[in-house]
Amino acid sequence: MKATTKDEAINIMLSMIGESPVTSPTTSSSADAQTAIRILDEASKEMQSAGWHFNREYEVTLSPDAVTKEILLAENVLQVDVEPQDSWFSGTKRIDAIMRGKTGGLLFLYDKANHTFEFSSDVKATVVYGLEWDTLPEIVRNYLIKRAGRIFNARVVGDANQNQFLLMEEHTAQLAVRNWEAEASDNTVFDHWDTYRIINRHGIPNSI
């Protein structure tokens, strides 16, 4: 069974407001189809920005430009969290790296601790990426269709009864994603810093 395409997703959303399917929704001039596309894209970016197992990568090497010393981030980067071991250079120079935009809409890594865009060496970070529709897991696509479809109905039709029904479907799809996320990421209580800190404090000398 093939994964749901974006065109199929848009047609499902159109059916939620009683509209007939469109042959090629992503290239259609239909106002409803274009609205559905925008809402689907909004829902996808909002959901992915939270960071999930499927779009989060660890120990990504971010390298400064040889001339400017700046670290330009890819357009699809939604979050950057510098690894703990890279929060210090040579054990003395502290950095506090965050994402920050500059003129032109480009995003760079910015060092708040030293008030500069310049970095003297590579930085390892956990990065959350915004993925295109065709690279999303099917379970995530299903949730996004349900969520975007409900928002689409609320904005275009405003049927409160229909919206309540769609909200129930959205919650069911959201629960499925959360259960899948828990299984896929294999998280335990030991993956949380607060838990580790408590265990470490009692088990290892000189710990904080």
Side-chain angles (χ1 to χ4, degrees):
M1 185 177 296
K2 294 182 178 179
T4 306
T5 67
K6 193 167 186 178
D7 276 349
E8 289 172 337
I10 299 304
N11 273 330
I12 292 172
M13 290 174 63
L14 289 173
S15 72
M16 291 178 177
I17 64 168
E19 291 291 327
S20 300
V22 179
T23 303
S24 182
T26 51
T27 58
S28 172
S29 59
S30 163
D32 283 339
Q34 291 302 311
T35 298
I37 291 171
R38 287 194 297 272
I39 292 175
L40 184 61
D41 289 342
E42 288 173 11
S44 180
K45 188 172 183 179
E46 176 191 34
M47 186 252 192
Q48 293 191 59
S49 292
W52 299 77
H53 183 66
F54 72 87
N55 71 330
R56 181 190 291 113
E57 295 188 19
Y58 300 94
E59 296 189 353
V60 177
T61 299
L62 303 174
S63 302
D65 181 83
V67 177
T68 65
K69 305 297 183 182
E70 296 177 340
I71 298 179
L72 174 64
L73 302 173
E75 292 183 354
N76 66 331
V77 171
L78 300 176
Q79 282 190 46
V80 173
D81 183 21
V82 174
E83 304 291 357
Q85 64 269 25
D86 272 13
S87 293
W88 300 82
F89 287 156
S90 304
T92 57
K93 184 180 180 181
R94 179 178 180 275
I95 67 170
D96 183 7
I98 62 168
M99 292 174 60
R100 179 167 291 185
K102 296 180 70 174
T103 302
L106 298 178
L107 286 173
F108 292 82
L109 206 61
Y110 178 75
D111 181 2
K112 288 180 62 179
N114 297 285
H115 315 293
T116 181
F117 283 98
E118 297 184 7
F119 291 82
S120 58
S121 62
D122 292 348
V123 174
K124 288 283 186 70
T126 297
V127 181
V128 172
Y129 293 98
L131 305 181
E132 296 296 331
W133 181 267
D134 290 340
T135 64
L136 295 175
E138 178 63 19
I139 195 169
V140 174
R141 300 187 197 196
N142 180 62
Y143 165 68
L144 290 174
I145 292 170
K146 297 294 193 298
R147 176 165 176 75
R150 179 187 62 78
I151 296 172
F152 185 44
N153 172 74
R155 291 184 186 176
V156 177
V157 179
D159 186 329
N161 291 330
Q162 175 71 352
N163 190 71
Q164 190 62 32
F165 172 76
L166 294 175
L167 184 60
M168 292 173 60
E169 287 195 332
E170 178 187 337
H171 285 168
T172 299
Q174 183 185 58
L175 180 60
V177 171
R178 292 192 179 281
N179 289 339
W180 169 77
E181 166 81 1
E183 293 177 2
S185 58
D186 296 323
N187 286 330
T188 71
V189 293
F190 300 103
D191 294 316
H192 297 275
W193 165 247
D194 289 339
T195 303
Y196 168 77
R197 186 179 181 186
I198 293 171
I199 295 173
N200 189 46
R201 182 172 63 236
H202 293 290
I204 301 176
N206 301 321
S207 58
I208 56 176

